[in-house]
Amino acid sequence: MKHTAARTYRAVHWLTTRLQERLEEATRRPDRGDISITTVIIWVAAVTGAALIAGTIIVVVTKYNGKLTGL
């Protein structure tokens, strides 16, 4: 039981210290190179476009599957 309590204390202390360091760094350097909303919008649009294209290909192949076998 003592070992578990000691490990828990060390883990909580480490996490608290790490969080405090990150908050101090965020205060010192507010622009840390975080991903911008524009980048997120571009990625979402790209993934959505790719999913639509893949879906269209699947629909076309499924629809014409019988006719494609003779090619």
Side-chain angles (χ1 to χ4, degrees):
M1 185 78 168
K2 285 183 179 181
H3 297 293
T4 304
R7 287 182 186 165
T8 303
Y9 174 78
R10 281 194 304 266
V12 169
H13 183 277
W14 180 83
L15 285 171
T16 306
T17 305
R18 181 79 174 140
L19 178 62
Q20 188 175 22
E21 289 171 357
R22 297 298 291 169
L23 289 173
E24 289 171 2
E25 181 183 349
T27 304
R28 269 186 286 126
R29 296 180 9 182
D31 184 20
R32 301 183 324 261
D34 290 339
I35 192 165
S36 70
I37 191 67
T38 307
T39 305
V40 172
I41 291 170
I42 291 169
W43 273 102
V44 168
V47 170
T48 303
L52 287 173
I53 292 169
T56 303
I57 292 170
I58 290 170
V59 167
V60 170
V61 167
T62 303
K63 183 176 179 179
Y64 295 104
N65 195 21
K67 295 179 183 178
L68 292 174
T69 56
L71 291 178

